Amino acid sequence: MCGITGYLGDGNCSKIVAQSLKNLEYRGYDSAGVALLDGSLHVHKQSGQIDDLTVPSIPDATCGIGHTRWSTHGAPTDENAHPHTDCENEVAIVHNGIIDNYETLKRDLIGDHVFTSETDSEVVAHLIEDELDKTEYLLDAVEAVVAMLEGSFAIAVTAAGHDGIVVARQDSPLVIGHADDATFIGSDVTAFVDHTRTVSFLEDGDIAHITESGHTIVNGGTIVERERRVIDWDADAAEKGGYEHYMRKEIHEQPQAVRQALSGRVDEVAGVVDLDLSLSEEYCRSLDEIQIIACGTSYYAGLYAAELLERYADVRVSVSIASEYEFRENRDPWRTLVVAVTQSGETADTLRALRKGAGAGVRTLAVTNTVGSTMAREADDALYIRSGPEIGVAATKTFASQVTTLTLLTVYLGRQRNALSSNEASTILNAVSEVPGAIQQVLDAESTVRQTAEEFADSDSFFFIGRQLGYPVALEGALKLKEISYDHAEGFAGGELKHGPLALVTENTPVLAILTEGTNAAETLHNVKEVESRGAPTIGLTSDPDPNAVFDISFQVPDVGLMEPVVANVYLQLFAYHVANQKGRSIDKPRNLAKSVTVE
């Protein structure tokens, strides 16, 4: 979703802001632009790719802001691209989020101001223009305007005749980067991580004025400080490392990502997990229900975790798509734990659901990849998946890391609740510790997966089936394929085929089936026979040592117990990647999609 960047310093402002925009490409966008200040304001913007945007060198520019836009109000046109300016082209703003009351504000302005775009964002520039007629201070003008706005927003403003950049945050992330000779802003750290890893995360209601002498943050009229943190990954971690696409690189990073999720947390011999959580044994034993809230890939990781938690922690679990979540009045908030699963920690629907739970008095836990994210800060506890930066829009290594981390949470709760013996816990932890090596075995077979993907790339549709732990993996496999190849793909519980989807099965609709430990493989095999009798080619992901008599094509899944479906998913990731690559798709930045979805 839209990205904001900004810079103030003595370096090459044009070059730094332009490169920061490139760093934010992974968030998804359809237009881009910059505003550079050297006393006068210079705005350059257009629809399309950042590579097509001309950012001239302005030697005397000392500050600038930039934006990648993902359309919500108005088509992806040059006029609708950010930055937006006032009538005199002296104020430039960039905005992420949605201003709910923009139509009302615009009606009040339209007689005295000329609007050039269809966006909700442009009203901010004109409101600031009016406020600067009342005050000489840009910070005061922005404060006055922010008080008028309803909705979610992250805003950055610069203006001719005024020092520096003013930024404001409400329900949309913003971070400040601190270097010895410069200050940066960004929607996330990736914007400027090649310059500094020392950051401060702004909180809702914060308005910051960044100048050559430093920065001041106010919230509710009071000056506040935000803690400086040092993030633990650098620019090299976000580079392609010789791979053609970030997605393929990140698929291959999964063994290390899982190792990082396990590091320092697991005692396999004792069957003990240390997650540094504040959940007491008494609280864990009192739980009646865990409510998992998530979207997309994180939702499927939540479905996987629900199977494990009910089986091994002896607790009722519900999994809700975050945008559909409501805390029911017949639930006891003191005996309920809400677990929000989110890669970015900023997903708008999940954040809103988390706040609903917290508002009902429920204890909350964020399972996220992003230290300092909004959900990590707002939840009662944060559990980090530690997968490192994921740039490709389609999630890959974060799914493996989420399931791994949620499996550790299962063992933790199972032991706390006396539902899991030390021997049972050791068995699970041993299986999890073998996942990195098992994933590497799958990666070593990539050439075979590529050949299969190229063979079936022109199929009419693709169906994925699985049961129990295989069902969320079937859903995730279908999601990956449709995200990056734009082909029709659907995932089903195996038993549901005969309740409608079987009508779609033909000799040109391959069916990919997950038959591993924890998937009720015997029953799924009956479903494989059903589709084969209708002429569908079948591709099996199985830990059966002799699967070739059953499937047209099979991929061998290493024996790692209940984690086998997660390992099987790596085959599905590679399959989706190579189908999309065969078709020449934009794999890292698929159309209409964004990495961090920060609007509801």
Side-chain angles (χ1 to χ4, degrees), residues 200-220:
S200 298
F201 294 95
L202 296 183
E203 298 186 4
D204 284 348
D206 283 354
I207 301 174
H209 191 189
I210 298 161
T211 65
E212 292 181 2
S213 59
H215 71 276
T216 301
I217 304 173
V218 295
N219 192 310

Side-chain angles (χ1 to χ4, degrees), residues 17 21 31-35 44-46 53 65-68 81-83 94:
V17 173
L21 287 181
S31 59
V34 301
H44 304 272
K45 62 180 185 175
Q46 66 180 58
L53 176 67
I65 55 177
H67 190 266
T68 55
H82 294 222
V94 292

Side-chain angles (χ1 to χ4, degrees), residues 529 546-551:
K529 295 294 186 184
D546 184 27
N548 291 322
V550 179
F551 303 102

Side-chain angles (χ1 to χ4, degrees), residues 422-462:
S422 60
N423 287 337
E424 291 170 321
S426 292
T427 299
I428 294 171
L429 295 177
N430 280 321
V432 176
S433 69
E434 293 173 357
V435 168
I439 291 176
Q440 189 58 55
Q441 290 182 53
V442 173
L443 296 172
D444 291 342
E446 182 176 7
S447 61
T448 304
V449 182
R450 182 178 63 248
Q451 292 170 9
T452 303
E454 291 173 353
E455 177 182 348
F456 289 102
D458 294 327
S459 299
D460 292 340
S461 296
F462 299 82

Side-chain angles (χ1 to χ4, degrees), residues 145-211:
V145 170
V146 165
M148 305 177 199
L149 305 180
E150 298 173 6
S152 63
F153 50 83
I155 296 168
V157 184
T158 192
H162 296 269
D163 291 335
I165 303 169
V166 176
V167 298
R169 174 205 158 119
Q170 183 64 47
D171 293 330
S172 190
L174 266 181
V175 59
I176 298 174
H178 309 281
D180 291 339
D181 56 355
T183 305
F184 300 83
I185 61 167
S187 298
D188 62 46
V189 178
T190 310
F192 51 74
V193 71
D194 42 352
H195 296 282
T196 182
R197 295 188 294 126
T198 302
V199 303
S200 298
F201 294 95
L202 296 183
E203 298 186 4
D204 284 348
D206 283 354
I207 301 174
H209 191 189
I210 298 161
T211 65

Side-chain angles (χ1 to χ4, degrees), residues 284-509:
C284 292
R285 289 183 178 181
S286 74
L287 283 175
D288 288 337
E289 182 179 12
I290 294 174
Q291 298 180 348
I292 298 175
I293 51 175
C295 304
T297 291
S298 298
Y299 173 72
Y300 302 145
L303 290 175
Y304 199 109
E307 286 272 339
L308 299 180
L309 285 162
E310 292 205 336
R311 189 184 308 179
Y312 296 110
D314 190 26
V315 61
R316 183 174 68 243
V317 183
S318 63
V319 188
S320 297
I321 296 171
S323 59
E324 297 294 311
Y325 174 77
E326 298 288 344
F327 185 79
R328 306 298 180 191
E329 292 182 0
N330 62 347
R331 299 293 198 264
D332 183 350
W334 302 105
R335 294 178 178 272
T336 305
L337 174 67
V338 168
V339 179
V341 186
T342 162
Q343 184 280 135
S344 67
E346 305 291 351
T347 309
D349 288 331
T350 310
L351 179 58
R352 181 170 176 267
L354 180 84
R355 288 170 173 169
K356 282 185 179 180
V362 178
R363 189 171 185 84
T364 56
L365 168 65
V367 179
T368 181
N369 193 36
T370 311
V371 175
S373 61
T374 302
M375 270 179 271
R377 297 196 308 274
E378 291 196 10
D380 295 306
D381 279 286
L383 179 55
Y384 296 106
I385 67 172
R386 300 175 174 174
S387 69
E390 186 176 67
I391 306 301
V393 167
T396 51
K397 65 178 179 176
T398 50
F399 178 78
S401 296
Q402 285 172 337
V403 173
T404 298
T405 304
L406 289 166
T407 303
L408 298 186
L409 179 64
T410 298
V411 174
Y412 175 84
L413 291 173
R415 294 304 308 276
Q416 292 282 74
R417 292 169 59 84
N418 286 331
L420 197 62
S421 71
S422 60
N423 287 337
E424 291 170 321
S426 292
T427 299
I428 294 171
L429 295 177
N430 280 321
V432 176
S433 69
E434 293 173 357
V435 168
I439 291 176
Q440 189 58 55
Q441 290 182 53
V442 173
L443 296 172
D444 291 342
E446 182 176 7
S447 61
T448 304
V449 182
R450 182 178 63 248
Q451 292 170 9
T452 303
E454 291 173 353
E455 177 182 348
F456 289 102
D458 294 327
S459 299
D460 292 340
S461 296
F462 299 82
F463 298 122
F464 297 73
I465 60 172
R467 292 172 182 254
Q468 296 176 352
L469 293 174
Y471 174 50
V473 170
L475 295 172
E476 171 63 8
L479 177 63
K480 281 297 139 293
L481 187 61
K482 70 179 76 171
E483 280 181 313
I484 64 170
S485 74
Y486 315 151
D487 284 317
H488 177 242
E490 296 294 338
F492 302 102
E496 285 298 295
L497 278 176
K498 56 185 174 290
H499 296 290
L502 206 56
L504 300 173
V505 170
T506 72
E507 66 278 358
N508 202 31
T509 56

